[in-house]
Every structure is written in structure tokens, then in C-alpha cells.
Amino acid sequence: MKFLAITLITDSTDPVTGAPTPTRERFREVVAAARLAESLGFDGFGVGERHERPFLSSSPPVVLSHIAALTSRIRLFTAVTTLSLLDPVRAYEDYATLDHLCDGRLELMIGKGNGTAQRDLFDVTPEDQWERNTEGYELFRQIWREDKVTAEPRFRPALTGAEVLPRPYQRAVRIWHGSATSRESVDLAARHGDPLFSANVTHPIGPYAELVRHYRERWEHYGHDPAHAVVGAGTAGFHTAPTSQQAARAYRPAFARYLDAHARQGLEPVFPTLEDFIERSSALIGSPQQVIEKVHRYHAEFGHTVLHLQAEPGGLSDAEHRASLELFQSDVAPVLRREIPDPAFPSA
């Protein structure tokens, strides 16, 4: 199994004073988290893309380029690149450039993205967002693979023998398809023989496991070898400590923030108590052995071989979060790497 640390770069406030964290400081925190993830032995670091509050992650290629200059081994992910909102030609130029700057450590996750505000910002409608996502991905994929491209897309001007530069460092970059609730993204991934990354963060496991099963069915339908299907999965929260009691006690303030966020939006929380959150969500909160056992329970449903954890504290203290990541890498990751083999990442 491989492990990613991922951030959506949420705008934050000081947990004690309530004062907003300066934007410059938030970006510095993200860069520090990436460097820590590399030093602890994580396989990848991911930066999300959002174009609305409370997120500051509108430009992942810029953030990842800076991280690339300060790291040397860790693979760099987007989580996710919102191709339904972007011109695929411009997106290609950004990521092909990043691919060179990071010496081929780039992997992409793509998806349509969520949120009314960002759809309005880019003049994308609920009716056309899936067509835009599919068209954007297929044109992006074509440009990445072909030196000159001819295409007549619906949502941008036609291309005739177009040469888009720079040509990428990796001629076959691995592109994951991020999926939360839709069969459209699952089918697109299976059709092209691409890996799937299940969000797996908002609800109990049921709907996510159903989508993964559908992905495997469609994978075979399109004629791919079932042994080559690759699945990743997210986690709703993370904290491990020597005992379950210590882990739950430390995580309680982070869960209080989860409840507060729902209350501010006038929403009923899916998991009303911390105990319910630990039991029914994908959160990995407990002793190392409890975390190992829960990952195995989810693996029985998903067959996933890549797992993401939260890169930043998210309500924990910096010291608690770092200690948790260190304990994960010393007591959890080696067991899961041994017991759940993963197909090798492409070499940089």
C-alpha cells in the first residue's frame, strides 16, 4: 500500500483567538507539510483545487511547483484538477511545465469539482459540467500524448495540427479519476483504463463501495484485465496515538470544528458524535492496531492499494499531528505496505 498526504488549503483561524491566519502563512504551512511528509516517508503529497470559500487552493500547479523545488523524492498530486472548469490546453501547459520542474514526479487526479460558486465563476452549468469534464479530460489526454493535435471540441475553439508546448517529461503520466458520488467519472476512468480515487470522506462506506464495484464492472466491460484495476481511497479524518483513549481525546477539538462547520451551514451532521464518526466514517482515529484493522475492513470493500491522510493538523496541535504522522509511519505503514501490496508507482 502507498500513502499520500493531501491538503485542500482551507482558509483557517487560530483555534484559540479566532483570528484569521494570513494567507501567506497558510501557504507556508502547506509547503512545510509537504516537506514533513517527504521526510517521514510518505509516497505522495496532494494539493486540491477549489475556486470558492473557504479554500485557497485555486492554483495547484503554482503551489506544487514551489514544493517541487524544495523536495526531491515525494510524488506530487493534484486532488483534484477541475477539468470541467478549465481550458484543457491551458491546463496541459501548466502541468507539462510542472512535470519538467519536478523531474517527472507528477500524478494528476481529475474531476468535475463541486460547488455552486465556482461553477458560476467559470460560467459552467449543472447540465453541462459532466460533458465539460469528459471533453476536457479527453482533449487534455490527447495533447499529452500527441505532438500535434487536431480536434473539434464543443466547449473551446477547434485545434488543427496544433503544437502545444512544452512537451511533457513523462510521455504517459498517470491520471486518476476522483469520484465522490457519480457513475460518470467512474465510467470515464474505466473506459480509458485509468485508476480511480474514491473520495470516501462524507458518508458511510456504502455508496463509495458501490461506485468502486461499478468501476470494476465497467473496467471488465471495456476489456481491461481485472488484475490491473487500481483504486485509491480517502479518509475523513486521521489521528493515531498509543491508545484509543488518547487518540479520541486529542481528536475531539477537531471533531467539534466539524460540527461547528455543519451548524454554520444549517446542515445536519452525517455523524452526530465523535464515537459515531470513529465507528462509521472512514476516519482513522485510534491506536496503531485499530487503524490497521480499519484499513483492512475498508480494503475488503474497496480493494484499494493507495490511501490518503490529512496533511495538516485540522484542529489538532502541530505537535499532536506530527507525532501522529510519525507513529503512523513507524507502526502502521510498514504493516500495511507488507500486507496490502500495491502496483509500483511509475519511476520518475
Side-chain angles (χ1 to χ4, degrees):
M1 182 165 262
K2 296 281 195 302
F3 304 102
L4 317 180
I6 284 182
T7 178
L8 298 181
I9 320 185
T10 306
D11 204 359
S12 67
T13 57
D14 186 288
V16 177
T17 67
T21 304
T23 300
R24 180 177 63 174
E25 181 61 28
R26 279 297 292 123
F27 284 122
R28 288 178 174 176
E29 289 172 351
V30 169
V31 172
R35 299 182 74 180
L36 175 63
E38 178 168 84
S39 71
L40 293 178
F42 279 84
D43 301 285
F45 187 86
V47 172
E49 180 179 334
R50 301 291 190 276
H51 299 272
E52 59 189 335
R53 290 185 182 275
F55 305 104
L56 303 175
S57 51
S58 60
S59 188
V62 175
V63 177
L64 290 172
S65 291
H66 188 66
I67 291 170
L70 298 173
T71 58
S72 61
R73 179 197 57 79
I74 199 165
R75 297 191 70 80
L76 305 177
F77 285 73
T78 60
V80 298
T81 296
T82 53
L83 281 179
S84 64
L85 309 179
L86 306 178
D87 179 341
V89 175
R90 190 70 185 94
Y92 165 81
E93 291 172 334
D94 285 342
Y95 286 110
T97 300
L98 172 57
D99 196 35
H100 284 277
L101 292 173
C102 72
D103 296 325
R105 288 185 280 143
L106 175 66
E107 299 203 24
L108 295 167
M109 295 185 200
I110 65 103
K112 73 169 180 62
N114 293 308
T116 301
Q118 64 181 16
R119 282 203 308 265
D120 292 345
L121 186 65
F122 289 89
D123 193 27
V124 173
T125 69
E127 292 74 27
D128 68 21
Q129 60 185 347
W130 284 113
E131 291 180 64
R132 287 178 178 272
N133 184 65
T134 299
E135 178 183 286
Y137 168 64
E138 291 181 340
L139 184 53
F140 181 97
R141 189 175 191 269
Q142 183 181 358
I143 296 169
W144 197 283
R145 285 164 170 74
E146 298 177 14
D147 291 338
K148 293 189 176 181
V149 174
T150 297
E152 294 188 5
R154 175 185 170 194
F155 297 105
R156 61 145 290 125
L159 301 173
T160 303
E163 184 179 31
V164 189
L165 301 174
R167 300 312 302 148
Y169 183 92
Q170 301 176 90
R171 295 299 286 188
V173 68
R174 184 152 76 161
I175 300 179
W176 301 72
H177 294 248
S179 173
T181 58
S182 73
R183 291 195 168 202
E184 288 90 342
S185 55
V186 166
D187 189 80
L188 185 63
R191 188 188 322 158
H192 288 286
D194 295 331
L196 180 74
F197 212 103
S198 172
N200 190 37
V201 296
T202 306
H203 302 285
I205 191 173
Y208 302 114
E210 181 181 347
L211 279 177
V212 171
R213 287 193 292 271
H214 182 65
Y215 167 70
R216 295 186 187 280
E217 290 168 2
R218 299 304 292 170
W219 180 274
E220 292 191 54
H221 169 80
Y222 287 116
H224 304 302
D225 184 342
H228 295 161
V230 178
V231 174
T235 55
F238 166 70
H239 185 63
T240 188
T243 69
S244 59
Q245 294 84 358
Q246 289 172 305
R249 184 166 58 249
Y251 198 81
R252 197 167 292 278
F255 184 74
R257 294 178 68 170
Y258 161 85
L259 293 179
D260 183 60
H262 278 72
R264 289 197 307 271
Q265 297 174 62
L267 302 174
E268 287 293 324
V270 177
F271 308 102
T273 67
L274 175 60
E275 291 71 25
D276 186 46
F277 185 66
I278 293 172
E279 176 61 28
R280 293 196 304 123
S281 83
S282 62
L284 300 175
I285 302 167
S287 67
Q289 186 57 41
Q290 287 173 314
V291 169
I292 290 168
E293 290 171 359
K294 190 166 187 179
V295 172
H296 272 290
R297 290 202 305 274
Y298 274 68
H299 177 72
E301 296 287 340
F302 290 163
H304 62 305
T305 55
V306 179
L307 178 74
H308 90 50
L309 303 177
Q310 285 66 39
E312 299 187 272
L316 299 165
S317 72
D318 289 344
E320 287 171 329
H321 184 60
R322 179 174 185 131
S324 177
L325 294 176
E326 290 174 344
L327 185 60
F328 181 88
Q329 286 293 354
S330 65
D331 289 22
V332 177
V335 176
L336 294 176
R337 289 186 194 279
R338 182 174 65 251
E339 295 178 351
I340 303 176
D342 178 58
F345 276 22
S347 59

